[in-house]
Amino acid sequence: MAARIERLVTSGQFSLDGGTWDVDNNVWIVGDDHEAVVIDAAHDAAAIAEAVGDRRLTAIVCTHAHNDHIGAAPALADLTGATIWLHPDDLPLWRLTHPDREPDAHLVDGQVIEAAGADLTVLHTPGHAPGAVCLYDEGLGVLFTGDTLFQGGPGATGRSYSHFPTIITSIRDRLLALPPGTRVLTGHGDETTIGDEAPHLEEWIARGH
Ligand SMILES: [Fe+2]
């Protein structure tokens, strides 16, 4: 049985540089009837655990360590025994939210996280955050982008630990090179495709965000 993709939206707050904003986050669950992985344990461990149900949760993959994407990761790991994965370049951000609990394992560019027959290849795509990653499954034709690429452009780069030229390089070299029909499943909001976003790269560079 092929892996399927489920979306759960959870609500909470994003805080950085002294500001706080209300946000809705997409929590992606990739799996079958027996096992699953979660991409971004945002805000509400109980709601995510309920969506996973009695399946074995093998991994919690963090696309980056902004607090809205990782807030519920330790609690969900404690509930399920899943391994928390984070790119080590985001450990300074992680420690702002969870100073007493490190992630369990470090993501590496090119690594494959398996999920019920899905093969999620890790693409290190810094810019929104130093350790931001995307997860690409060629067979499913999907790319999980976290906050690196949205419908309408790049993720925000105006706050600490972000860098606009770096996110543009990541998007141009790693993401827009993927097949145009690839579904882009984002950390917030509605999905898009590589083919819908690629023509707008020069506009984003010109406007600077
Ligand atoms: Fe973010």
Side-chain angles (χ1 to χ4, degrees):
M1 182 202 269
R4 62 182 185 270
I5 298 165
E6 297 155 67
R7 176 197 190 200
L8 174 71
V9 178
T10 60
S11 300
Q13 292 184 324
F14 167 54
S15 297
L16 191 64
D17 295 341
T20 294
W21 300 266
D22 291 334
V23 285
D24 294 333
N25 281 64
N26 294 328
V27 178
W28 298 101
I29 303 170
V30 182
D32 59 13
D33 290 343
H34 305 288
E35 66 172 27
V37 307
V38 160
I39 300 169
D40 287 344
H43 304 304
D44 190 338
I48 301 167
E50 186 180 336
V52 171
D54 58 9
R55 296 179 283 180
R56 188 166 68 96
L57 187 65
T58 57
I60 299 164
V61 183
C62 307
T63 61
H64 63 297
H66 282 153
N67 72 294
D68 53 326
H69 292 256
I70 63 165
L76 184 62
D78 290 345
L79 282 171
T80 61
T83 300
I84 301 174
W85 291 87
L86 178 74
H87 192 285
D89 289 356
D90 261 18
L91 284 170
L93 275 167
W94 171 278
R95 290 171 182 147
L96 296 177
T97 300
H98 299 303
D100 300 323
R101 166 71 145 95
E102 294 281 293
D104 301 307
H106 291 179
L107 293 168
V108 177
D109 185 71
Q111 171 184 0
V112 176
I113 302 278
E114 295 180 24
D119 290 318
L120 302 169
T121 299
V122 174
L123 307 177
H124 181 214
T125 51
H128 178 71
V133 302
C134 297
L135 299 162
Y136 177 54
D137 187 302
E138 185 177 11
L140 291 173
V142 297
L143 175 71
F144 299 92
T145 56
D147 289 357
T148 293
L149 179 64
F150 292 110
Q151 185 187 86
T157 50
R159 287 181 276 273
S160 298
Y161 303 97
S162 291
H163 191 240
F164 181 69
T166 302
I167 200 172
I168 287 295
T169 299
S170 292
I171 290 170
R172 185 188 59 217
D173 294 353
R174 306 301 302 276
L175 304 187
L176 300 188
L178 298 173
T182 304
R183 292 172 67 197
V184 173
L185 305 180
T186 54
H188 307 271
D190 293 333
E191 68 178 89
T192 181
T193 67
I194 291 295
D196 283 342
E197 300 304 324
H200 301 288
L201 177 67
E202 294 304 324
E203 293 166 34
W204 305 333
I205 293 170
R207 77 188 186 192
H209 63 91

